Amino acid sequence: MKTLAELAAIRERMQNNVIVREGTASTRVVVGMATCGIAAGARPVLSAFVEGVEKAGLLDKVTVTQTGCIGICQYEPVVEVYEEGKEKVTYVKVDAAKAAEIVEKHLKGGSVVTEYTIGAIK
Amino acid sequence: MKELSLNILDVTKNSVTAGADTIRITLETSPDGMLVFSLEDNGCGMSEEVVRRVTDPFYTTRTTRKVGMGLPLLKLAAEQTGGYLKIESSTEAGKSGTTLSAAFDTKSIDFMPLGDIVSTICVLISGSPDIRFVFKDITPDGTVFLDTSELKAVLGDGISLGEPEIIAWIRDYLTEQYKERKGNLQK
């Protein structure tokens, strides 16, 4: 059974890491979570990024955040990737499986998954 | 929306936008199968005029994005089961806030299943780790409960509730409570 004591243990374990981690993330993954995004399936996409980034050991490098409607509702779920010194990449019609692939190939491997980007669709 | 928990995620974001620092999400299912979802926040509130019009999908204008499709969709989901949506709001300084309640007849064929409410709560907390969320899901078989202020008290100021490790813990914590309740049901 999960207890608050267990949470305290996680705190002890994390305290050092968090201090090191602060301000080091250079990549930001932004998932559109307005009505349009949620209706199109953004919730499992967000969960897939959060879990994928942790599993891939990228917590120091990547933060996953949420935003409102980006204005291209017909392409939701939309995910934007901002990397320091690079042009923004916009992925469209993302699902959990594509999210896992983006974590692996783009965030970890460094190469954009072009077939899922907005440029490939338009 | 395919699941009620998605409507809940969507409309709760209104409370976040309203600047609330405490948001209470309650689900209460009575023995006769009526489910009431209530959302209570201490955000900026809405004027009477706005409250009257928020459930009109054509009220919103794309440029201001002040109100959207969220509430009309929730109202539809409730009413198509024979339920209702009620909204009360106050903009009075010091006691502003909004309380919304939506009732559903879970026996209706048009009732959308609740779906993955645990993910909804996790997404809300990871998106707004500084807001206090109090979540309760009450049924005759037991209550699932989470108050993020209790977690904050354990974690202190140094660690955000939005940290992936903490969100994973919250997910397991809620999932276990649901499993335990299901166990009660089978007994």
Side-chain angles (χ1 to χ4, degrees), chain B residues 1-75:
Chain B
M1 301 279 173
K2 288 177 189 149
E3 302 173 357
L4 180 55
S5 61
L6 292 174
N7 291 104
I8 293 174
L9 171 59
D10 190 21
V11 299
T12 305
K13 288 192 164 258
N14 295 338
S15 299
V16 173
T17 311
D21 61 25
T22 301
I23 298 176
R24 294 171 195 275
I25 298 169
T26 308
L27 296 165
E28 189 159 12
T29 311
S30 55
D32 66 355
M34 284 305 285
L35 164 65
V36 178
F37 154 55
S38 55
L39 175 66
E40 197 189 328
D41 73 51
N42 61 352
C44 60
M46 296 175 279
S47 68
E48 275 178 45
E49 167 71 10
V50 174
V51 170
R52 257 200 311 278
R53 298 177 69 181
V54 277
T55 55
D56 174 359
F58 302 107
Y59 169 66
T60 185
T61 65
R62 203 84 175 67
T63 46
T64 65
R65 271 235 160 257
K66 219 177 164 181
V67 186
M69 289 292 289
L71 286 167
L73 286 172
L74 179 65
K75 185 169 190 253

Side-chain angles (χ1 to χ4, degrees), chain A residues 46-110:
Chain A
L46 182 81
S47 300
F49 273 108
V50 170
E51 282 159 26
V53 164
E54 192 187 4
K55 273 193 199 128
L58 295 170
L59 286 175
D60 301 342
K61 199 184 147 231
V62 182
T63 56
V64 181
T65 59
Q66 306 170 32
T67 188
C69 176
I70 306 169
I72 43 171
C73 309
Q74 69 272 35
Y75 296 123
E76 293 283 355
V78 172
V79 176
E80 296 177 319
V81 179
Y82 295 86
E83 280 174 291
E84 232 170 47
K86 287 187 191 165
E87 217 171 301
K88 173 183 83 178
V89 177
T90 303
Y91 289 108
V92 297
K93 298 195 175 179
V94 181
D95 58 26
K98 289 179 186 173
E101 207 178 322
I102 293 165
V103 170
E104 197 55 34
K105 291 186 181 160
H106 184 168
L107 303 179
K108 201 173 174 190

